[in-house]
Amino acid sequence: MAKVPGAVIAASGLVGGYGVARWTGRRPLGGAVLAVAGAAAAQQWRQRAGGKAAGALSAAYVAAFTGSHPLAKKVGAWPAVFGVAGAVALASWAVADRRG
């Protein structure tokens, strides 16, 4: 069975976490989605590119989540979330996923 690329997992975690938080009105539930997806993506990154790359990509994932908040004030919530999700997916592909 083929593994889902870390890029897909990470982008889905960012978009899904925000969507769950927004539609349910429960930010902790969205945070749980974000955390579970981040952990799953980190596992994929570690397997494909090693611990240092996984650490760097995990830091990028957290930075994307954090950076989406001020970005949302300038461009809107959904564009900000899609933008940072795309950036993390691209970084994931470049560092880890294209190797697999």
Side-chain angles (χ1 to χ4, degrees), residues 6-53:
V8 173
I9 297 169
S12 298
L14 288 162
V15 173
Y18 174 69
V20 167
R22 182 171 178 129
W23 290 318
T24 64
R26 297 177 186 229
R27 292 178 68 169
L29 189 56
V33 171
L34 183 79
V36 168
Q43 182 179 16
Q44 287 288 355
W45 296 328
R46 193 174 313 108
Q47 289 174 354
R48 292 192 175 161
K52 288 183 181 180

Side-chain angles (χ1 to χ4, degrees), residues 6-8 10-12 14-15 45 56-57 59-65 67-68 71 79-95 97:
V8 173
S12 298
L14 288 162
V15 173
W45 296 328
L57 288 168
Y61 183 77
V62 172
F65 167 70
S68 68
L71 183 60
V81 170
F82 285 128
V84 299
V88 169
L90 181 60
S92 176
W93 177 83
V95 173
D97 295 331

